[in-house]
Amino acid sequence: MKILFTTRKWPPAIGGMEVYSVELTKHLSSGNDVEVWALPGKNSGRPPNLFRQIVFIALCCVRAFLGPQRDIVHVGDLVSWPIALPFVLRRSCPVFITAYGLDIVFAHRKGLFPWLYRQYLGLCVRVMGNRLNVVAISQATALLCETAGFSKVAVVPLGVNLHERKPFATIESHPDVFGKFVLFVGRLVPRKGASWFAKHVLPRLPQDISLKVVGAKWDSQEWSAISSNPRAEYLGTLSNEDIAHLRRAALVVIMPNISSDGTDIEGFGLAALEAAADGGILVASAIEGIVDAVIPGETGFLVPERDVSAWLETIASIARWSRKEREDFIGNAFHLISKRYSWDQVAKNTKYEYESAVYGRS
């Protein structure tokens, strides 16, 4: 297939959308003719400024009118939807666009920019209608898209890189390390739930278990709650290698996410995949996109959000595992992730949606 992929999210910028763009196009290139129109980020790792993004989208629209036909056009995110318009008007091929969740709920926030974005997104729905195929990264994101007015929505969960993962490294070198701490990895914002866990769950765990926190300081109150807790240790931002080691060494890796007021969302629990792929034992809130990233009881454990008793019971159960039970769980989880959540599988699932649009579903 001749596939055109356009994205305003590309290295050296660093982020989940950048990873998605690179990995998907790389794996789609096997057996397909993939052309990429990408706007590179800054060397600092930050994305391009708004002006450069607007210019990029405009230039892509011009190229779309002048360029040759393709079998498939895939626009990297909803913000860039005008790039799809020339292809729809020419009716030359099916057009896809990826939705992540926040690109929908941002329109629900208060303020001038969310209001402007709400009009911008509404225009997309009115103009594109059912001529646009939306690829949502989770069931939760798909529901948001359908509520926003998009009619053709398919779910293709994200993937994780596995070739450098060493899920058994810590078990082999430090077999007795488990049970000393639980690990939180993520931004310090209220919806991630680190301070909630530190306040409500940590005090009821055995005294020899501490909480280690890795991530950027975003919310001052969240940071204050962690830094003032004598059983919590803030480690700052660490390398992927250091995070992987901590995931393997922790009793459990936690994602105690809390539902927001509809203005934010965990579009897909990528950190859940990364934790399991690194050999961590994940316990997470059963909300939003996280449920698409966890196979309950096999790659991790899902518990009701804010349910202190469920958190305590699940962690206590894992603490009673033997070394072999832990090894068996890690091995099975890694196998399932490599089978269902590899980037190769993401590319296959995405191509299936392409072929369904071109040839019709069987």
Side-chain angles (χ1 to χ4, degrees), residues 5 10 20-30 34 36:
F5 187 91
W10 198 258
Y20 174 86
S21 298
V22 170
E23 294 296 336
L24 179 62
T25 53
K26 179 174 69 176
H27 287 83
L28 281 173
S29 295
S30 177
V34 179
V36 178

Side-chain angles (χ1 to χ4, degrees), residues 8-9 17 77-79 98-109 113-114 117-118 121 135-138 140-142 144-145 148 187 189 191-192 218 260-268 288-289:
R8 64 188 179 92
K9 296 288 186 174
M17 291 172 66
D77 69 296
L78 281 169
V79 173
T98 300
Y100 300 88
L102 184 57
D103 43 8
I104 298 287
V105 299
F106 181 76
H108 301 165
R109 297 179 180 179
F113 284 111
Y117 182 71
R118 188 157 59 247
L121 193 63
V135 176
I137 64 172
S138 68
T141 299
L144 287 172
C145 292
R187 289 178 294 142
V189 294
R191 73 174 180 87
K192 296 288 186 178
W218 283 63
S260 67
D261 57 0
T263 60
D264 209 342
I265 186 176
E266 191 76 42
F268 182 78
E288 302 168 344

Side-chain angles (χ1 to χ4, degrees), residues 121-172:
L121 193 63
L123 181 61
C124 174
V125 174
R126 292 192 298 273
V127 172
M128 305 299 283
N130 62 1
R131 295 174 291 185
L132 188 64
N133 300 277
V134 178
V135 176
I137 64 172
S138 68
Q139 294 288 348
T141 299
L143 181 59
L144 287 172
C145 292
E146 292 166 354
T147 303
F150 294 101
S151 57
K152 293 182 178 179
V153 184
V155 177
V156 178
L158 297 182
V160 63
N161 287 312
L162 297 169
H163 64 282
E164 295 181 352
R165 306 282 177 176
K166 301 175 182 178
F168 292 102
T170 302
I171 282 185
E172 294 170 353

Side-chain angles (χ1 to χ4, degrees), residues 44-342:
S44 64
R46 297 184 63 83
N49 61 43
L50 180 60
F51 176 76
R52 285 189 62 203
Q53 294 185 44
I54 293 173
V55 171
F56 170 75
I57 292 173
L59 290 176
C60 285
C61 290
V62 173
R63 292 180 69 182
F65 272 114
L66 300 177
Q69 293 188 0
R70 280 88 175 176
D71 297 317
I72 292 290
V73 171
H74 193 148
V75 179
D77 69 296
L78 281 169
V79 173
S80 305
W81 74 261
I83 299 173
L85 186 58
F87 294 101
V88 169
L89 293 177
R90 292 174 60 184
R91 298 181 181 275
S92 58
C93 63
V95 178
F96 286 76
I97 196 162
T98 300
Y100 300 88
L102 184 57
D103 43 8
I104 298 287
V105 299
F106 181 76
H108 301 165
R109 297 179 180 179
K110 297 179 180 179
L112 177 59
F113 284 111
W115 182 86
L116 290 172
Y117 182 71
R118 188 157 59 247
Q119 311 313 309
Y120 179 72
L121 193 63
L123 181 61
C124 174
V125 174
R126 292 192 298 273
V127 172
M128 305 299 283
N130 62 1
R131 295 174 291 185
L132 188 64
N133 300 277
V134 178
V135 176
I137 64 172
S138 68
Q139 294 288 348
T141 299
L143 181 59
L144 287 172
C145 292
E146 292 166 354
T147 303
F150 294 101
S151 57
K152 293 182 178 179
V153 184
V155 177
V156 178
L158 297 182
V160 63
N161 287 312
L162 297 169
H163 64 282
E164 295 181 352
R165 306 282 177 176
K166 301 175 182 178
F168 292 102
T170 302
I171 282 185
E172 294 170 353
S173 57
H174 302 288
D176 300 320
V177 73
F178 311 108
K180 305 303 181 184
F181 67 94
V182 297
L183 176 68
F184 171 90
V185 179
R187 289 178 294 142
L188 288 178
V189 294
R191 73 174 180 87
K192 296 288 186 178
S195 67
W196 174 86
F197 184 92
K199 179 180 180 180
H200 297 282
V201 181
L202 185 61
R204 297 176 61 179
L205 291 174
Q207 286 296 314
D208 62 340
I209 296 179
S210 63
L211 169 65
K212 294 184 184 295
V213 176
V214 176
K217 303 175 186 177
W218 283 63
D219 184 274
S220 58
Q221 291 184 341
E222 195 78 1
W223 154 246
S224 178
I226 295 298
S227 61
S228 63
N229 192 309
R231 292 178 62 184
E233 180 184 6
Y234 176 67
L235 302 177
T237 55
L238 301 177
S239 68
N240 290 336
E241 183 178 355
D242 288 339
I243 291 174
H245 179 83
L246 285 170
R247 282 169 170 157
R248 292 189 291 265
L251 170 61
V252 294
V253 180
I254 60 169
M255 291 182 67
N257 291 52
I258 299 169
S259 299
S260 67
D261 57 0
T263 60
D264 209 342
I265 186 176
E266 191 76 42
F268 182 78
L270 185 57
L273 287 184
E274 293 173 337
D278 280 333
I281 310 300
L282 176 78
V283 184
S285 298
I287 65 170
E288 302 168 344
I290 294 175
V291 299
D292 289 82
V294 179
I295 304 174
E298 297 191 77
T299 65
F301 298 89
L302 294 174
V303 297
E305 64 172 316
R306 299 177 187 258
D307 189 330
V308 176
S309 296
W311 276 93
L312 291 170
E313 291 170 6
T314 303
I315 294 173
S317 176
I318 294 169
R320 292 192 291 268
W321 285 1
S322 66
R323 183 173 184 271
K324 185 177 186 308
E325 286 176 309
R326 192 175 184 96
E327 287 180 340
D328 289 345
F329 184 90
I330 291 172
N332 181 64
F334 191 83
H335 170 73
L336 288 173
I337 288 173
S338 63
K339 183 178 180 181
R340 300 190 188 186
Y341 296 103
S342 68

